[in-house]
């Protein structure tokens, strides 16, 4: 399903605040934090196969079990009610509450590791609802950078290369819904109209100045400090530059390959090429 904005859900600010006050006392998983530079990607399962919060890694759940609310959802009554009101439970596979701050996420494709899961229980459609966000929280798909606003409902094409930046000390908190692909007369969400043709609205996109030749030259000088041990720091710089300047399609990976080649160390180039394969082509353990 193409990435697109669906509509808005009216949030009860008082009840939402009560649930958000409780989240510091619930257990968080840091699964998938290897995608993140700067901090941890923290999540907790509110709805999952077998009804257990588990470890947060979707391939580790018993996909032969029906999906239902976890014990954590019982501690967050407003978010549980919100999930019930906005999503088709018959096709709902997982719902995670996710938070991140002062971090960027490596450009990647999701779903690559799910090939061994049966079609009828495999994640196929992803929906986001931001609960806490700010102007320094960005999403990216292709060469488009955009913002999701609080209370908006979005579907994301997670099979496309995408990235995230939270360039703020304030935590970004989202609900993430994963649905299976199954025929139904009901829509996946009760909010708005699921119309993939709508795409990303122009007023949600972020206009970035073009990357200059001088900018590119400065980035290439990072080759002087690039080693397998500093790769994460260099990646973070390049990704942040991508969210502030338009360097063209596939800018982050192309730039990292160029920097690795300029470093003159085959081990460094091999490391970056392996990361690109892992995150965008074929996932390994």
């Amino acid at each position: 399903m193409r990435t697109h904005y669906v509509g808005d859900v009216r949030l009860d600010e008082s009840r939402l605040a009560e649930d958000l006050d409780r989240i510091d006392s619930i257990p968080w998983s840091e699964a998938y934090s290897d995608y993140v530079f700067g901090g941890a990607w923290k999540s907790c399962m509110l709805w999952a196969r077998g009804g257990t919060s588990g470890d947060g890694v979707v391939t580790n759940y018993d996909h032969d079990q029906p999906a239902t609310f976890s014990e954590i959802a019982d501690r967050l009554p407003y978010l549980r009610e919100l999930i019930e009101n906005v999503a088709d439970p018959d096709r709902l596979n997982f719902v995670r509450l996710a938070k991140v701050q002062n971090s960027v996420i490596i450009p990647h494709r999701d779903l690559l590791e799910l090939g061994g899961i049966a079609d009828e229980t495999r994640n196929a459609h992803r929906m986001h609802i931001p609960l806490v966000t700010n102007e320094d929280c960005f999403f990216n798909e292709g060469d488009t950078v955009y913002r999701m606003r609080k209370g908006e409902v979005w579907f994301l094409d997670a099979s496309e290369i995408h990235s995230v930046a939270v360039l703020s000390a304030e935590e970004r908190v989202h609900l993430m819904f994963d649905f299976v692909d199954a025929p139904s007369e009901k829509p996946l969400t009760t909010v708005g109209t699921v119309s993939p043709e709508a795409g990303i609205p122009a007023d949600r996109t972020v206009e970035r100045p073009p990357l200059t030749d001088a900018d590119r030259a400065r980035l290439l000088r990072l080759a002087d400090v690039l080693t397998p041990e500093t790769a994460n720091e260099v990646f973070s710089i390049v990704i942040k530059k991508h969210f502030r300047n338009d360097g063209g399609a596939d800018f982050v990976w192309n730039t990292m390959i160029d920097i690795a080649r300029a470093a003159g160390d085959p081990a460094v180039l091999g490391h970056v090429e392996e990361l690109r394969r892992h995150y965008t082509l074929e996932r390994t353990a």
Side-chain angles (χ1 to χ4, degrees):
M1 183 182 293
R2 181 183 177 191
T3 295
H4 65 288
Y5 162 72
V6 174
D8 292 67
V9 61
R10 181 174 294 178
L11 298 172
D12 184 321
E13 296 291 349
S14 176
R15 295 185 65 201
L16 174 61
E18 290 177 358
D19 272 14
L20 292 178
D21 283 343
R22 297 185 183 103
I23 65 175
D24 287 337
S25 65
I26 63 177
W28 292 87
S29 165
E30 295 190 3
Y32 304 108
S33 287
D34 54 319
Y35 290 66
V36 179
F37 303 129
W41 191 85
K42 297 182 179 181
S43 68
C44 59
M45 284 290 187
L46 305 185
W47 174 284
R49 289 281 164 180
T52 176
S53 57
D55 65 0
V57 180
V58 297
T59 52
N60 289 345
Y61 290 77
D62 186 350
H63 287 253
D64 292 329
Q65 297 294 318
T68 189
F69 284 111
S70 73
E71 68 278 8
I72 294 178
D74 294 333
R75 298 162 64 177
L76 304 171
Y78 177 63
L79 294 184
R80 177 175 173 138
E81 181 180 309
L82 181 62
I83 293 165
E84 290 176 323
N85 289 339
V86 303
D88 173 15
D90 296 334
R91 288 178 288 173
L92 189 57
N93 218 22
F94 293 95
V95 182
R96 284 171 280 184
L97 186 64
K99 62 179 182 177
V100 66
Q101 65 188 118
N102 276 339
S103 299
V104 293
I105 294 179
I106 196 168
H108 67 283
R109 286 189 174 96
D110 292 317
L111 313 178
L112 294 177
E113 69 272 33
L114 305 183
I117 299 173
D119 289 349
E120 60 269 20
T121 62
R122 184 170 63 233
N123 292 347
H125 304 295
R126 175 161 296 166
M127 186 173 83
H128 272 249
I129 301 178
L131 302 176
V132 178
T133 190
N134 61 69
E135 289 297 291
D136 288 317
C137 298
F138 306 100
F139 285 77
N140 158 249
E141 182 181 300
D143 196 33
T144 301
V145 172
Y146 62 100
R147 296 185 181 94
M148 298 182 195
R149 297 171 181 164
K150 181 176 179 177
E152 292 185 340
V153 179
W154 286 74
F155 277 95
L156 271 67
D157 184 354
S159 67
E160 291 290 330
I161 295 177
H162 59 284
S163 184
V164 178
V166 181
L167 306 179
S168 167
E170 180 184 359
E171 286 182 335
R172 188 214 75 175
V173 184
H174 278 219
L175 279 174
M176 294 173 51
F177 300 71
D178 286 308
F179 299 87
V180 299
D181 191 10
S184 176
E185 295 182 358
K186 296 187 295 183
L188 292 172
T189 178
T190 60
V191 179
T193 302
V194 180
S195 178
E197 295 75 20
I200 300 170
D203 64 351
R204 305 301 194 276
T205 61
V206 178
E207 294 295 329
R208 298 164 295 150
L211 192 78
T212 66
D213 290 341
D215 287 332
R216 291 184 189 276
R218 282 190 286 268
L219 288 173
L220 283 175
R221 289 202 291 272
L222 290 169
D224 294 340
V225 296
L226 178 61
T227 67
E229 291 76 24
T230 63
N232 288 3
E233 289 79 6
V234 174
F235 255 116
S236 178
I237 293 169
V238 174
I239 295 170
K240 288 176 181 177
K241 192 65 175 176
H242 165 67
F243 278 97
R244 296 303 190 187
N245 293 90
D246 185 354
D250 212 13
F251 165 76
V252 172
W253 284 111
N254 288 342
T255 301
M256 284 301 303
I257 293 293
D258 287 344
I259 294 171
R261 288 198 179 105
D265 183 346
V268 170
L269 179 58
H271 178 66
V272 174
E273 289 177 333
E274 173 59 21
L275 290 175
R276 186 175 198 171
R277 186 194 65 78
H278 174 78
Y279 286 106
T280 69
L281 296 174
E282 181 183 9
R283 195 88 75 239
T284 55

